[in-house]
Amino acid sequence: MENNKIVSFRDVKFADGFWKNRYELNKNVSIGAVRNKFEESARFDALRFNYLKNGRAIHYFYDSDAAKWIEGVAYLIEHDRASQKDNEAFIDELVDCMEAAQRDNGYLNSYHQQIAPDEIFKDRNHHELYCAGHLIEAAVAYDRATGKDKFLKVMEKYCDCIYRAFIEEKTAAFTTPGHEEIELALMKLYRHTGNKKYFDMAKFFLVNRGVCEEPVIYDNNRYGAQDDVDIYHLKEANGHSVRALYLYSGVADLAFEEKDEKLYSCLDTVFDDIVNGKMYITGGVGSTFRTESFTVPYDLPNPTAYSESCCAIAFILFALRMRKMKKDAKFGGLVERVMYNSLLSSTDLSGRAFFYENPLEIALHERNREVAAPEYRRERLPITERLEVFGCSCCPPNINRFFAELGDVVAAIDGGEVTIEQYVSSVVSTALGTIEIAENYATDGKATISSTDYAAGKISVRVPRWSEKVTATLDGKTVSTEIKDGYAEFTVGKSFTLSLDFNIKPAFVAANPLVSADNGKIALTYGPIVYCVEGVDNGDRLGRLSVSPVAAEGATLEKDFHGFYSITVDGLKDKAQKALYFTADKCGYEPVRIKFIPYFAFANRGSSDMLVWIRKA
């Protein structure tokens, strides 16, 4: 197993560009918007332990929602503490409340302490360990960011309680959590404190998965709860997609710590199972809303795609952990696909509203078409416009914390040299020197990498799979680019400037013919970005449109969509017919110009039809 290191977001400072703007949107708008909605919806009352006092509605996952928001603020504090002064004081108040409410034995869960004290550690699906995990991650982040250890001590005391109930005394009614997350958190706590007890706890929850007889979840469907197999025999992604990806991330942490090649091989097989058969073109995963789950390979329905926003984040977390163990461009390629598509689509362009699900097709005329059926029995379809808060609002604070540590995706250290994984305008500080990245990657397909104090002598860059040709100049001179395993390596001096042109252009792509939902259809891409058509530009009934793959060669690009290009191509539209059925030779077409916009920007102009996969002419 390779000795690699992901450069931390703490060592990455964004420079002007799209991703800095997206980072600032999260810091200046989204964090505050989520705080306001969580205050209104009683999420923060969870950590104040005053449900019974104010009589507000509650749920057993509220602790986790609030914890993720705290974690996001902590990451922002590390780069700009002054901007988070009010949020830091607010968090200190919540920590005081948690410390006061914590039981003498260390137990800390707002729902069970106030509403269901007789059910502590008895219901596997009540998210106690899931909530504990997010609180642990928040405490670690807050301690590191502020130096205030009260929150951390509270959570360490809770970990002692969990250790006794699950490992020492075995008084809990189950062995492994219904919703994975605490495994990642305990690994993070172990690395932060050096206390091996937390590593042992994480390993306990991981190695017992799929081994013990557990209380039923999902009507005893063991696939749904990742109980079908132990972690040493993983071969495919199953069940609730967020829970599964959190599990694989935790297993990756274990494989890294123990340098376990067998575990890595299992995870690599699972990773390939997803990207080669269970992943949407946008990088989204989860094909059905029923248990929010993976299904079988090539089952990728577009109108009902679940593709939860938390899945996008969890998939990146998994990929980054795999990249830490092996220098393989497929991991960075996955991160890029998710970043520019299913992750970005999760938030509206104002930064205030969010999608839980991210479908790849919307047809407004199909909404509520089952007029004879009671509303609750009609076909369930994803919402068409983003909301500021949900009943289950795990995604918004997860988005907050991810964008706050976005710098984690940019670079790695491999064998004593720097590797650039994502082209994000930034300054990357490493022990090998300071690297500057300047790019207009997603618009013009170009990036410049430079340094004045680089000590390694060689630098690697990931070459995106969409690039058919790479042009490179080093210190003003054209140099050859030999690509190996998805990377190009260059010999450089202490001071260098490397300019890269990936020759970006619009291209239509097709899906594997086994994906029946996409048979006879193509999708427009432009470098890392997947495009879609919306009714607001192209009229309703988008299924009447068709386009030839060669239309991309005559595309018109206009930088008129929030700094990105809209792309217009020649296409065809079926002519309207009076008859319900008619002979095919009477089918007529009319030429039209079809306008595409970045998929991530759909549903920002009101409810509208939307389509990613369009008929191939």
Side-chain angles (χ1 to χ4, degrees):
M1 193 169 295
E2 299 169 18
N3 183 24
N4 305 329
K5 178 184 177 183
I6 300 297
V7 177
S8 169
F9 75 92
R10 298 174 180 91
D11 298 317
V12 176
K13 184 177 180 181
F14 295 117
D16 289 342
F18 172 76
W19 288 108
K20 180 181 180 181
N21 292 339
R22 188 60 190 81
Y23 176 87
E24 294 290 331
L25 184 70
N26 182 60
K27 182 176 78 170
N28 298 325
V29 178
S30 300
I31 283 283
V34 172
R35 174 178 167 175
N36 291 338
K37 288 301 175 182
F38 277 14
E39 195 68 274
E40 291 176 12
S41 59
R43 260 75 175 182
F44 291 127
D45 280 351
L47 300 190
R48 294 189 183 102
F49 283 76
N50 61 359
Y51 280 142
L52 298 181
K53 180 179 178 181
N54 63 27
R56 302 177 77 182
I58 60 171
H59 203 284
Y60 52 69
F61 51 60
Y62 276 11
D63 289 11
S64 66
D65 290 349
K68 280 180 281 191
W69 181 86
I70 293 173
E71 185 182 352
V73 172
Y75 295 143
L76 294 175
I77 287 173
E78 294 215 40
H79 273 309
D80 185 5
R81 189 167 188 172
S83 72
Q84 301 302 308
K85 184 178 180 180
D86 180 59
N87 285 333
E88 183 177 340
F90 178 67
I91 292 168
D92 288 342
E93 172 213 332
L94 296 177
V95 171
D96 288 342
C97 292
M98 286 187 279
E99 182 186 48
Q102 186 169 34
R103 288 188 171 184
D104 291 342
N105 69 353
Y107 187 82
L108 183 73
N109 181 281
S110 66
Y111 178 86
H112 285 83
Q113 284 178 244
Q114 297 177 87
I115 306 302
D118 295 335
E119 298 177 21
I120 290 175
F121 295 149
K122 291 184 179 179
D123 190 325
R124 189 179 179 220
N125 207 31
H126 260 199
H127 288 37
E128 283 167 282
L129 297 183
Y130 171 75
C131 287
H134 279 304
L135 286 167
I136 291 167
E137 288 200 81
V140 169
Y142 199 63
D143 179 58
R144 178 155 189 166
T146 67
K148 302 173 184 176
D149 64 356
K150 182 186 292 187
F151 192 7
L152 186 69
K153 288 180 177 178
V154 167
M155 294 316 301
E156 288 193 280
K157 186 176 179 181
Y158 189 13
C159 286
D160 290 341
C161 171
I162 293 169
Y163 185 86
R164 288 193 300 272
F166 285 86
I167 299 176
E168 279 188 341
E169 301 169 1
K170 298 189 183 300
T171 55
F174 52 94
T175 304
T176 60
H179 195 313
E180 296 91 332
E181 150 62 21
I182 194 171
E183 303 89 340
L184 289 74
L186 288 167
M187 283 291 187
K188 191 172 287 187
L189 184 61
Y190 158 65
R191 290 165 178 165
H192 183 64
T193 65
N195 188 338
K196 190 174 180 296
K197 178 179 181 178
Y198 305 131
F199 172 85
D200 294 338
M201 291 174 70
K203 185 174 181 178
F204 172 86
F205 288 125
L206 290 167
V207 300
N208 281 291
R209 172 74 54 175
V211 173
C212 305
E213 288 297 323
E214 297 277 25
V216 299
I217 295 178
Y218 304 139
D219 296 326
N220 207 25
N221 183 324
R222 292 179 65 82
Y223 292 98
Q226 295 81 48
D227 290 332
D228 55 304
V229 66
D230 68 86
I231 64 172
Y232 295 98
H233 294 87
L234 290 167
K235 293 182 179 180
E236 59 184 10
N238 277 323
H240 188 291
S241 45
V242 176
R243 301 184 191 202
L245 288 164
Y246 281 175
L247 171 65
Y248 309 144
S249 296
V251 176
D253 281 336
L254 178 62
F256 179 81
E257 291 294 337
E258 297 198 328
K259 302 295 183 282
D260 192 322
E261 295 284 356
K262 181 179 179 181
L263 271 185
Y264 174 84
S265 179
C266 289
L267 292 170
D268 199 43
T269 300
V270 170
F271 185 90
D272 289 345
D273 175 62
I274 300 173
V275 299
N276 293 328
K278 297 177 179 177
M279 179 185 74
Y280 286 95
I281 189 174
T282 59
V285 291
S287 298
T288 175
F289 75 91
R290 296 176 182 87
T291 70
E292 309 178 17
S293 289
F294 291 107
T295 55
V296 295
Y298 310 114
D299 177 41
L300 296 166
N302 295 306
T304 56
Y306 205 71
S307 185
E308 186 190 341
S309 299
C310 282
C311 290
I313 293 166
F315 207 177
I316 290 178
L317 296 180
F318 179 33
L320 288 177
R321 284 164 167 79
M322 294 297 286
R323 174 61 180 84
K324 198 172 166 184
M325 289 184 281
K326 184 178 181 181
K327 183 181 178 180
D328 191 324
K330 69 182 180 181
F331 302 125
L334 178 280
V335 172
E336 174 182 291
R337 182 180 295 270
V338 175
M339 277 175 58
Y340 281 96
N341 300 290
S342 62
L343 175 65
L344 280 181
S345 69
S346 64
T347 310
D348 75 349
L349 297 175
S350 76
R352 296 184 179 278
F354 308 89
F355 270 143
Y356 192 97
E357 302 163 63
N358 296 269
L360 279 76
E361 182 176 337
I362 294 174
L364 295 178
H365 63 273
E366 293 187 354
R367 305 269 152 168
N368 297 316
R369 55 190 167 81
E370 299 167 323
V371 294
E375 190 169 340
Y376 72 93
R377 296 191 64 181
R378 294 176 186 174
E379 181 183 26
R380 183 195 177 282
L381 294 167
I383 61 175
T384 60
E385 292 187 72
R386 297 168 183 81
L387 299 175
E388 293 185 0
V389 71
F390 307 90
C392 178
S393 211
C394 53
C395 298
N398 217 2
I399 294 164
N400 286 158
R401 70 170 183 153
F402 179 81
F403 278 111
E405 56 174 346
L406 179 64
D408 277 351
V409 307
V410 176
I413 307 295
D414 303 292
E417 68 182 48
V418 172
T419 302
I420 303 302
E421 286 288 338
Q422 305 301 330
Y423 299 97
V424 175
S425 292
S426 56
V427 178
V428 183
S429 300
T430 77
L432 300 171
T434 300
I435 305 293
E436 293 188 25
I437 304 172
E439 49 81 25
N440 46 7
Y441 179 70
T443 52
D444 297 332
K446 297 178 180 180
T448 299
I449 300 159
S450 61
S451 179
T452 58
D453 62 350
Y454 190 58
K458 290 185 177 181
I459 190 167
S460 292
V461 300
R462 182 181 60 83
V463 177
R465 292 187 65 181
W466 54 260
S467 175
E468 297 179 356
K469 177 185 177 183
V470 184
T471 305
T473 60
L474 180 61
D475 299 328
K477 297 180 180 179
T478 301
V479 291
S480 61
T481 53
E482 181 180 346
I483 301 170
K484 182 179 179 182
D485 298 327
Y487 294 94
E489 186 177 72
F490 299 91
T491 299
V492 296
K494 178 180 179 181
S495 178
F496 71 90
T497 299
L498 174 66
S499 297
L500 301 166
D501 185 348
F502 296 107
N503 293 279
I504 193 170
K505 62 181 180 179
F508 282 103
V509 299
N512 186 306
L514 295 178
V515 183
S516 57
D518 301 332
N519 283 166
K521 299 177 181 178
I522 53 180
L524 181 66
T525 61
Y526 183 71
I529 300 177
V530 174
Y531 274 68
C532 69
V533 291
E534 275 200 297
V536 68
D537 300 309
N538 302 284
D540 58 4
R541 305 279 177 163
L542 296 173
R544 295 168 60 189
L545 300 175
S546 57
V547 67
S548 168
V550 299
E553 297 174 9
T556 300
L557 280 64
E558 294 183 76
K559 195 174 285 187
D560 61 351
F561 212 89
H562 303 274
F564 288 86
Y565 291 116
S566 65
I567 301 177
T568 305
V569 303
D570 289 327
L572 298 172
K573 186 175 185 179
D574 293 355
K575 287 185 176 179
Q577 303 285 342
K578 291 183 179 180
L580 183 58
Y581 304 106
F582 45 87
T583 57
D585 61 355
K586 289 188 171 67
C587 181
Y589 307 92
E590 57 183 330
V592 292
R593 293 283 284 169
I594 303 174
K595 182 175 181 178
F596 291 78
I597 66 168
Y599 167 77
F600 70 75
F602 85 91
N604 275 276
R605 297 174 288 176
S607 292
S608 175
D609 286 3
M610 182 274 291
L611 201 63
V612 169
W613 291 98
I614 192 168
R615 285 188 306 161
K616 179 181 176 182

